[in-house]
Amino acid sequence: MKPTQKPNNPCFSSGPCTKRPGWTLNALQDAVIGQSHRARRGKAKLAEVITRSGKVLGMPADWKLGIVPASDTGAVEMVLWSMLGARGVDVLAWESFGAGWASDAKSQLQLNDLRIMKADYGKLPDLSKVEWDRDVVFTWNGTTSGVRAPDGNWIKPDRAGLAICDATSAAFAMDLPWDKLDVVTWSWQKVLGGEAAHGMLALSPRAVARLESYIPAWPLPKIFQMTKGGKLIDGIFKGETINTPSMLAVEDALDGLKWAESIGGLSALIKRAEANLDAISKWVARAGWVDFLAEDIRTRSCTSVCLKITDSWFQSLSADAQAEAAKQLATLLEKEGAAYDIGAYRDAPPGLRIWGGGTVETADLELLFPWLDWAYAEVKAGASKAA
């Protein structure tokens, strides 16, 4: 039967993600509007985002953290163009964004000593084959595959190369091993439900040393430049942004960070995300028509939860028909106002992608599950009638 109660918040997008519980526009009332971001108040707000972010994440005190242009994509590209080429590079790709970094390293930077280690959706590459005398680029959590690194044990503590980690859908939801990483990037629009267009770039002392000792063979555009005269431009990591940020987005980022602090910080955020994954796992076990795209239970994401449709009727369809049926499922849920933006990523296998980060209430997921079952039955019945 068609459910009668809908989720209080039907926003399950994997980016931009839903706002924190209780968010209203009043959260932005103290924003520095109509004033320069380089003036005292604006700069103080930017510096506060940096300070609070590092504190909530437990980032080591000797790391540098800055706000950079163009979301997580901008942060990663700054690193790839500024740091790669000093030694051999391994790029790990187990979903679309990792594949994008691999493509840039091969086609744009045209690195001579490059190994690309790919895995199909739902799997990880063989992490034992990574060579840590090389720089290694990887996503901690595959936003479009729902597959995350199980831990940091595969990363050597005495590595010569840099561990460059795109953590955009992991930061604030997973426990990152800072001692095993050298570069970490993320964006505001993911786990804390912030607005788009702003990225965060965290650098270890080893990463800073690379920037100050290595000059790439290619020219760097202004927004990628992090050094001047062989020294780190320290202002970037104190709130002196390279380009003009949205101070409304800055205020919103501060609101998310203050909320995170109010509920207990990183441990509470992780607990909320893992509780959401647990709820989805229990529903998958009883639903009978879906399963996790991630094949190994240890690698299941607690944020970008990707599901494949395993029902025999769906599996009997052609690839195009599967894609159409999955699209109909997501469209029906959106039309009913039960769930927005839960279709699989365009490059991923047809299915569902449900955001489970800390701003999502488990109670809303529980209200979503009957709608998922109903909508799938509707799509299946409609196809049978058409046939």
Side-chain angles (χ1 to χ4, degrees), residues 313 324-326 328-329 332 374-384:
W313 165 77
E324 179 59 27
Q328 289 177 13
L329 174 60
L332 179 57
W374 170 81
Y376 179 71
E378 288 290 301
V379 170
K380 183 176 179 179
S384 297

Side-chain angles (χ1 to χ4, degrees), residues 154-215:
W154 57 284
I155 304 173
K156 287 188 177 180
D158 57 347
R159 60 196 173 277
L162 298 179
I164 299 171
C165 176
D166 171 0
T168 193
S169 56
F172 299 103
M174 302 174 193
D175 195 9
L176 298 173
W178 293 94
D179 61 323
K180 296 291 187 73
L181 305 173
D182 297 293
V183 177
V184 180
T185 67
W186 66 91
S187 66
W188 294 351
Q189 67 186 32
K190 293 295 187 185
V191 177
L192 293 185
E195 292 302 299
H198 301 78
M200 300 296 288
L201 172 59
L203 304 175
S204 72
R206 296 181 69 243
V208 172
R210 169 68 64 80
L211 284 171
E212 294 183 335
S213 64
Y214 171 64
I215 300 176

Side-chain angles (χ1 to χ4, degrees), residues 63-366:
W63 278 53
K64 300 283 188 179
L65 178 60
I67 300 169
V68 299
S71 193
D72 177 68
T73 301
V76 175
E77 293 288 5
M78 288 177 74
V79 172
L80 300 186
W81 285 75
S82 299
M83 295 188 185
L84 296 188
R87 58 175 62 236
V89 177
D90 285 355
V91 181
L92 312 185
W94 60 84
E95 47 91 57
S96 59
F97 289 99
W101 310 144
S103 176
D104 283 354
K106 179 180 180 180
S107 302
Q108 302 302 321
L109 299 180
Q110 299 181 7
L111 298 175
N112 293 322
D113 188 1
L114 172 67
R115 300 195 311 168
I116 296 174
M117 303 168 66
K118 289 187 176 183
D120 293 335
Y121 278 90
K123 301 178 181 180
L124 283 175
D126 186 347
L127 300 179
S128 67
K129 293 184 178 179
V130 175
E131 296 181 4
W132 286 103
D133 59 340
R134 305 164 65 83
D135 293 333
V136 182
V137 180
F138 60 97
T139 54
W140 189 269
N141 180 77
T143 310
T144 64
S145 70
V147 176
R148 60 173 158 178
D151 50 46
N153 294 338
W154 57 284
I155 304 173
K156 287 188 177 180
D158 57 347
R159 60 196 173 277
L162 298 179
I164 299 171
C165 176
D166 171 0
T168 193
S169 56
F172 299 103
M174 302 174 193
D175 195 9
L176 298 173
W178 293 94
D179 61 323
K180 296 291 187 73
L181 305 173
D182 297 293
V183 177
V184 180
T185 67
W186 66 91
S187 66
W188 294 351
Q189 67 186 32
K190 293 295 187 185
V191 177
L192 293 185
E195 292 302 299
H198 301 78
M200 300 296 288
L201 172 59
L203 304 175
S204 72
R206 296 181 69 243
V208 172
R210 169 68 64 80
L211 284 171
E212 294 183 335
S213 64
Y214 171 64
I215 300 176
W218 42 81
L220 294 178
K222 179 181 178 180
I223 61 170
F224 287 0
Q225 295 172 17
M226 291 181 278
T227 61
K228 185 175 182 179
K231 292 294 182 182
L232 188 73
I233 303 175
D234 207 45
I236 296 173
F237 305 92
K238 295 180 179 179
E240 299 172 11
T241 54
I242 296 173
N243 70 336
T244 306
S246 163
M247 297 309 292
L248 282 171
V250 168
E251 195 65 28
D252 190 58
L254 283 172
D255 176 74
L257 288 162
K258 291 174 182 177
W259 170 75
E261 293 166 354
S262 74
I263 65 170
L266 181 62
S267 61
L269 290 168
I270 293 174
K271 185 177 180 180
R272 288 174 65 90
E274 291 293 344
N276 288 338
L277 174 60
D278 183 63
I280 295 172
S281 298
K282 290 176 179 176
W283 167 71
V284 166
R286 65 178 183 265
W289 57 274
V290 291
D291 200 355
F292 286 91
L293 190 56
E295 296 181 356
D296 185 342
I297 189 172
R298 300 176 306 145
T299 69
R300 290 178 184 171
S301 172
C302 62
T303 54
S304 53
V305 182
C306 296
L307 304 173
K308 58 186 177 181
I309 300 175
T310 57
D311 182 51
S312 58
W313 165 77
F314 185 86
Q315 289 298 314
S316 70
L317 301 176
S318 67
D320 287 345
Q322 287 184 358
E324 179 59 27
K327 182 179 179 180
Q328 289 177 13
L329 174 60
T331 301
L332 179 57
L333 290 164
E334 181 173 345
K335 181 180 178 181
E336 293 289 341
Y340 298 119
D341 310 312
I342 65 168
Y345 190 73
R346 60 180 179 268
D347 295 333
L352 299 171
R353 181 171 60 153
I354 304 170
W355 186 255
T359 56
V360 173
E361 299 278 30
T362 305
D364 282 329
L365 286 170
E366 295 290 358

